[in-house]
Amino acid sequence: MSHDRIKTTLLAIAALGLAAGLALLAAGLPVQADLVWTAGVVPVLAALLIEIVRSLSRGEVGLDIVAALSMTSALVFGETLAAAVVAVMYSGGTFLESFAEGRARREMSDLLSRVPRTATRRRNGALDEVPLDDIALGDLLLIRQGDVAPVDGTVESDRAILDQSALTGESMPVRLLRGQEVMSGSTNAGDAFDLRVARRAADSTYAGIVRLVEAAQASRAPMARLADRWSLLFLLVTVALAAAAWWLTGDPIRAVAVLVVATPCPLILAVPVALVAGLSRAAHFGVLIKGAKPLEALARITTLILDKTGTLTDGRPQIVSIGVHGTWSEDEILYFAAALDQASKHPIAQAIVAAARERGMVLPVPENMVETAGEGVAGTIDGRNLLVGGAKFVASQLGTTDIDGAVAETGSVVVSLGVDGVLAGHLVMADALRSGTAEFLAGLRRLGVGRILLATGDRRAVADSITAGLGLDAVRSELTPDQKVLLVLTERKNGPVMMVGDGVNDAPALAAADVGVAMGARGAAASAEAAEVVLLVDHLDRLLPGIEVAQRARRIALESVAVGIGLSILGMIAAALGYLTPVEGALLQELIDVGVILNALRALRINPRLGAASAEPEAAGHRPA
C-alpha cells in the first residue's frame, strides 16, 4: 500500500471512529462510545509509533513524539473523546500536508507525465511507430498536431508552431522556420511537420529535464532540517509545560490539554509545503531548481559571478556590420558568403548561413568547393568564383592589403569575401552582449545581490570591451577553470555566492558555489550536472523571477512557522491555565494547522515583479537581423 493511501486509510478509520462514538454517546451509550473512540485511535497511534521508531533509528527526533504522547495520555486518563479528536486532527493534518505537497508539485509532475514513449518515423516511404530508444541521429520524424516532440532536432518542413509553455512558461506558441531547432518536450500547436533528429532521446533536452525534476522531487531543504532542530526545542518546551501544569495543579487533564494543543505542529507542515510550492512556481517560469535546498540557498544570494561566453554573451558569433567594396550591396555580400559557407561546419560559417536564412534568402548549392581548414572556403556560386574566409587568408589569396586591423574592433572577427579574384566586401562578426543585460543586472541589485563579477578565460581587452558601461564590481579575465573555483571560494567569505555558466570549463566553479546555475537545458552536460539550477531556455533574465520566487517562498515558510508556533504556544499556555479542555485544544490546534498549510500554499500564486515579462519573449530563434 502506498504511503498516501495509508494516510487516507488512517484518516478514514479515525474519522469513522469519532463519528460512530459521537452517535453512541448521543444514544446514551457512553461505555460503548469510549470503546469505539479507542478503537479508532489505536491504528493511528500504532502507525505513529512505528514511524517514530524509524525516525529514531535514523537519528531524527521529531514532533511526532508530541502527537504520540498526547494520544497515549488522553487514553490513559480516560479522555477518549480528546484522543479520538487528536487522532482525526493528526491524521487529517498529515493527509492535508500530503495533498498540499502533491498540489505544489503539480507543475513539475506535469513535465514527467508528458514524456513521450514512442515516435512516428518516416522510412522508405512509410510511417512506423517506434520506441524512443530505436531513434537514431538523422532520422526523420513526423510530429502530428498535439504530439510532444520526443527528441531535439531541426524543422524539416516550411514551418512549425510549437507550444513550449511546459518547458519555458511562455504562454504564446513560437513559430519556427525550416532549419531552426526544436526542443524536445515542446507540443505541436499547428499542422503536422517533419523533424530531423539531432540528438538521441536519452541525450535530448526533455530527458535531461526529467532527470533534474526527479532529483528535485527527492530533496529536503535546509529549513526542513532546521525545523527538525527547532522541533526538539519545541518538544522539550511542550513536555516541560505539560509537566509543570500537572505538578502545580495536580490535574493530569491539564497536561493532556497542553499536549493535544501542540499536535500536530506548524513546523512539520509549513516548511515543506511552502518550499515545494516555490519549486513548482519557479518551474513555471522556466527555472528548474533541483531541490528545496538550492531554492532556500537561492533566496539568500548576495554575490553573483558570471561567465562571459554563452552567459553574459549569446555565445554565438553574430554579424555586427557588413562592409562593401565597389558596386556590391550588403545583401549581395551576405548572399554570396552564406551560400559558399554552407559547405563549412565552422561556427562562424554557420552563423553567416543562419543570418542569411533569417533574412529570407534562398541559398544555392555551392560547386567546386575546396576548404582550407580553419582559414576559408573557395567555390563557385552562380558561375562566379568565390573565396570566403579570414581577412588575412583572403587578402593573401587575392594579393590585396589585409583589412583586419582597419575594421575589427576588440573581440571581433573579420570575414572577407572575394568574387572573381577581387575583394568584394567583409563581414564583421562578434559574440554580442545579450540584449537587456543592463536591465537584468539592475534587477539583480534590486533583489539584494550586492556584488556582481565577471569571470572569463578571454583576454582582458575583450572582457573590458564587452562589459563597458555595465557597472560590474569586478572583471576577472584570462582565468583557468581552477582559478574560477578559487574566485568562487574567495567571494564566499563575503556571503552566499551564485555562479552562472554554460561550458564544461565552468562545471568546477558551479559545483563550488553555494548555487550553481547552468544556462539552458541543452548546455554542456557537465555544467548542467554540477549546477543546482538550470535555466530551461537560453534567457539569462529568467534568473530574476527564479530568485524572487525563492525569496518569497522562503519568507512565506518563515511567516507560517512564526505565526503557527506563536499561536500554538499561546494555546498551550491557555490549556495549562485551565481555559481549554483537551477536546477544545485539539480543535484549536487543527484550525491553526489548516491556516498554516493554506498560507504556505500562497507560494503557488507568487507573481514575480521582476523579469516576469521574460516568460513571454519573442519567438525563440527570431532575432532581428
Side-chain angles (χ1 to χ4, degrees):
M1 185 180 293
S2 69
H3 196 57
D4 288 344
R5 186 169 296 180
I6 291 174
K7 290 182 179 181
T8 304
T9 302
L10 291 175
L11 175 59
I13 292 172
L16 183 61
L18 177 59
L22 290 173
L24 290 171
L25 183 63
L29 300 171
V31 176
Q32 289 82 349
D34 287 339
L35 291 174
V36 171
W37 285 329
T38 302
V41 171
V42 169
V44 177
L45 181 57
L48 179 56
L49 291 174
I50 292 173
E51 185 61 34
I52 290 173
V53 171
R54 289 175 177 171
S55 298
L56 292 175
S57 68
R58 298 191 298 265
E60 300 174 359
V61 179
L63 289 169
D64 288 344
I65 295 176
V66 176
L69 285 175
S70 65
M71 280 186 270
T72 302
S73 62
L75 291 178
V76 168
F77 291 107
E79 292 287 338
T80 53
L81 175 56
V85 172
V86 170
V88 172
M89 298 301 102
Y90 179 78
S91 58
T94 56
F95 173 81
L96 185 57
E97 176 193 7
S98 178
F99 173 81
E101 285 200 31
R103 167 71 175 84
R105 293 180 189 270
R106 189 174 64 185
E107 293 278 359
M108 291 192 294
S109 296
D110 284 346
L111 287 173
L112 298 178
S113 66
R114 297 174 65 256
V115 178
R117 307 298 178 188
T118 61
T120 304
R121 181 173 62 189
R122 291 187 184 273
R123 177 167 290 184
N124 300 325
L127 295 176
D128 298 316
E129 198 76 13
V130 296
L132 293 192
D133 290 341
D134 292 348
I135 297 174
L137 297 179
D139 279 352
L140 191 63
L141 306 181
L142 175 65
I143 310 299
R144 295 162 297 196
Q145 187 174 43
D147 282 354
V148 175
V151 295
D152 293 340
T154 57
V155 178
E156 285 293 304
S157 302
D158 290 336
R159 68 172 187 174
I161 307 297
L162 294 173
D163 177 2
Q164 299 178 335
S165 58
L167 300 175
T168 68
E170 297 172 6
S171 60
M172 298 296 294
V174 297
R175 181 175 180 268
L176 301 181
L177 302 178
R178 183 185 295 272
Q180 291 189 301
E181 295 183 358
V182 174
M183 286 194 296
S184 56
S186 304
T187 301
N188 183 10
D191 295 334
F193 70 94
D194 290 332
L195 176 74
R196 182 71 66 182
V197 176
R199 292 181 180 85
R200 292 179 56 83
D203 302 323
S204 287
T205 300
Y206 202 60
I209 291 173
V210 168
R211 287 192 292 269
L212 295 175
V213 169
E214 290 171 340
Q217 292 187 333
S219 77
R220 291 183 77 203
M223 287 183 64
R225 290 192 289 271
L226 183 60
D228 290 340
R229 294 195 293 271
W230 286 348
S231 68
L232 180 59
L233 176 61
F234 188 78
L235 172 62
L236 295 175
V237 171
T238 300
V239 172
L241 189 56
W246 188 358
W247 182 66
L248 292 174
T249 65
D251 183 4
I253 303 304
R254 292 198 183 187
V256 174
V258 170
L259 292 173
V260 299
V261 168
T263 310
C265 175
L267 274 172
I268 60 177
L269 301 178
V271 172
V273 172
L275 295 188
V276 171
L279 290 177
S280 174
R281 192 59 177 159
H284 176 77
F285 291 98
V287 182
L288 184 57
I289 304 174
K290 291 187 181 179
K293 176 181 177 180
L295 181 137
E296 199 272 339
L298 187 62
R300 300 182 295 107
I301 291 301
T302 58
T303 299
L304 171 65
I305 299 176
L306 290 164
D307 176 47
K308 183 185 77 68
T309 305
T311 303
L312 198 63
T313 66
D314 280 324
R316 296 169 295 182
Q318 299 180 19
I319 297 176
V320 177
S321 63
I322 299 177
V324 298
H325 293 259
T327 60
W328 300 102
S329 69
E330 291 189 6
D331 283 347
E332 287 173 322
I333 299 298
L334 178 58
Y335 170 82
F336 283 125
L340 190 57
D341 270 337
Q342 292 178 100
S344 174
K345 291 187 177 181
H346 193 284
I348 292 179
Q350 292 302 303
I352 293 173
V353 173
R357 286 177 173 164
E358 285 182 3
R359 295 194 185 188
M361 294 182 180
V362 178
L363 304 177
V365 178
E367 299 176 350
N368 306 318
M369 191 277 295
V370 177
E371 181 171 11
T372 303
E375 298 286 351
V377 184
T380 304
I381 298 290
D382 297 342
R384 294 181 177 276
N385 295 319
L386 303 182
L387 179 65
V388 175
K392 291 181 180 180
F393 171 75
V394 172
S396 66
Q397 295 294 309
L398 299 180
T400 61
T401 304
D402 173 25
I403 64 167
D404 189 18
V407 299
E409 299 178 357
T410 301
S412 64
V413 174
V414 174
V415 176
S416 294
L417 170 68
V419 179
D420 294 331
V422 178
L423 182 66
H426 60 265
L427 302 96
V428 179
M429 312 287 294
D431 185 7
L433 192 69
R434 290 179 183 270
S435 62
T437 297
E439 293 79 3
F440 163 69
L441 297 178
L444 288 172
R445 303 281 191 191
R446 290 194 291 272
L447 288 173
V449 180
R451 185 166 168 79
I452 303 176
L453 303 87
L454 177 74
T456 179
D458 275 347
R459 294 174 287 113
R460 180 73 190 196
V462 176
D464 288 341
S465 174
I466 204 72
T467 59
L470 292 181
L472 299 183
D473 295 286
V475 175
R476 302 286 186 263
S477 58
E478 302 180 36
L479 298 181
T480 60
D482 58 324
Q483 289 174 327
K484 287 187 178 182
V485 172
L486 181 60
L487 176 62
V488 168
L489 297 178
T490 301
E491 290 297 328
R492 288 183 67 179
K493 298 176 183 178
N494 302 319
V497 173
M498 176 167 62
M499 171 73 190
V500 185
D502 76 327
V504 173
N505 64 322
D506 297 318
L510 293 175
D514 295 277
V515 177
V517 180
M519 286 295 299
R522 288 176 294 174
S527 63
E529 182 68 24
E532 289 88 6
V533 179
V534 177
L535 304 184
L536 298 186
V537 290
D538 202 22
H539 293 289
L540 186 60
D541 56 1
R542 290 298 172 88
L543 266 179
L544 296 179
I547 294 174
E548 190 171 350
V549 166
Q551 291 177 343
R552 292 170 66 179
R554 181 174 183 269
R555 190 180 309 125
I556 287 172
L558 291 173
E559 289 171 354
S560 299
V561 168
V563 173
I565 291 295
L567 292 175
S568 295
I569 291 176
L570 291 177
M572 290 161 58
I573 294 173
L577 295 176
Y579 293 113
L580 291 174
T581 65
V583 173
E584 292 169 344
L587 293 173
L588 173 63
Q589 184 58 50
E590 181 60 13
L591 291 175
I592 294 173
D593 293 332
V594 170
V596 161
I597 291 176
L598 293 177
N599 185 66
L601 282 174
R602 287 171 44 222
L604 284 173
R605 300 192 303 273
I606 294 174
N607 289 313
R609 293 180 293 271
L610 296 176
S614 69
E616 298 181 8
E618 61 178 314
H622 290 256
R623 288 188 174 86

